[in-house]
Amino acid sequence: MNQKLKSEETQKLIIQTAFEMFYHNGFNNTSVPDIMKETNLTKGAFYHHFKNKKDIGIKVIENILSKRIYNGFIAPLKENKTRKVPDLLLYVFTERIENFTEKEKALGCPANNMINEIGCSITAFRDPLRKLMDGWKDALIETIEIGKEKNEIKASVDSNSAATYLICSFEGARGIRKIYEDDALFNSYLKAVKEYIKSIS
């Protein structure tokens, strides 16, 4: 393996390991020595790639959290060829919840966890986290506008408000579910979001 490729693989290992540790333990409860131990990297090897934990956090947001949001919520909106917009919204905001693993139910949304834990206290995280959420909201607004053009969504619907509501209700349900041991909250959310999408259709 050439040096450049080896360096890239090491960076990926650090970022992926840090993501898993942040997700399970929280950003504040994960230290650089913890990450070094988990990756079996020496101090010199680690600091060759990252100056500090903040740098890793930014890369986790840009390389992992952003991709998760894109693949789970933005790509289905942009790549849709067959579903009507109400059905597409229903799919995006119910299918994932219905297929969450027990781990995902217990730990919640990794992006939202980071926003709640350190989004305001670490200024450097604000822009990449905001970019992540804005990208999601913009894709939703665009989809809702398409729905209005096709007469699948009511013309009176405020697309920005609808997109904000859908994201916040979804993330709120995921966050609150962490303190429960059953799916009653998710079931209530699923019923409510289905009724909301029906009301704007």
Side-chain angles (χ1 to χ4, degrees):
M1 183 182 294
N2 65 50
Q3 190 59 40
K4 182 180 178 181
L5 185 58
K6 184 177 179 180
S7 179
E8 290 175 353
E9 290 300 318
T10 301
Q11 287 187 44
K12 289 179 182 178
L13 173 64
I14 294 171
I15 294 168
Q16 182 63 43
T17 302
F19 163 71
E20 294 290 346
M21 297 185 78
F22 294 163
Y23 192 25
H24 282 85
N25 307 320
F27 180 84
N28 291 326
N29 290 329
T30 301
S31 67
V32 168
D34 291 334
I35 299 170
M36 286 191 293
K37 181 179 180 181
E38 192 68 21
T39 55
N40 293 316
L41 292 173
T42 64
K43 188 174 182 179
F46 181 90
Y47 283 106
H48 174 73
H49 297 284
F50 296 99
K51 292 185 295 185
N52 51 46
K53 188 172 69 168
K54 183 175 72 176
D55 283 351
I56 302 172
I58 292 171
K59 289 299 182 183
V60 165
I61 295 168
E62 294 175 344
N63 293 10
I64 296 183
L65 299 186
S66 294
K67 288 180 182 178
R68 286 173 62 93
I69 293 293
Y70 184 86
N71 292 335
F73 296 99
I74 298 175
L77 299 176
K78 291 185 175 293
E79 297 169 5
N80 175 62
K81 303 296 182 185
T82 57
R83 289 186 174 94
K84 291 185 177 181
V85 169
D87 295 333
L88 178 60
L89 295 175
L90 195 60
Y91 168 77
V92 168
F93 285 96
T94 62
E95 187 268 345
R96 282 182 68 80
I97 277 186
E98 290 172 344
N99 289 285
F100 279 146
T101 64
E102 291 304 313
K103 171 186 171 181
E104 289 174 314
K105 292 175 183 179
L107 296 180
C109 170
N112 196 32
N113 290 351
M114 186 168 278
I115 289 170
N116 287 329
E117 185 181 6
I118 44 78
C120 293
S121 60
I122 300 180
T123 305
F125 284 9
R126 286 188 179 184
D127 285 343
L129 285 169
R130 190 180 297 142
K131 182 179 179 181
L132 180 155
M133 300 308 294
D134 285 347
W136 185 6
K137 188 171 79 166
D138 289 346
L140 267 175
I141 290 172
E142 181 180 348
T143 299
I144 294 167
E145 286 294 315
I146 290 171
K148 290 162 72 172
E149 291 171 6
K150 293 182 175 180
N151 293 317
E152 296 171 358
I153 298 291
K154 293 176 181 175
S156 59
V157 171
D158 183 308
S159 299
N160 181 69
S161 297
T164 300
Y165 172 78
L166 286 167
I167 291 171
C168 291
S169 61
F170 178 86
E171 291 297 344
R174 285 211 68 186
I176 296 172
R177 169 61 175 79
K178 292 189 292 184
I179 62 173
Y180 292 95
E181 296 180 351
D182 58 51
D183 290 338
L185 180 85
F186 273 170
N187 293 335
S188 294
Y189 161 78
L190 290 170
K191 180 180 178 181
V193 78
K194 288 174 184 176
E195 290 175 352
Y196 174 72
I197 292 171
K198 183 179 179 181
S199 75
I200 66 173
S201 302

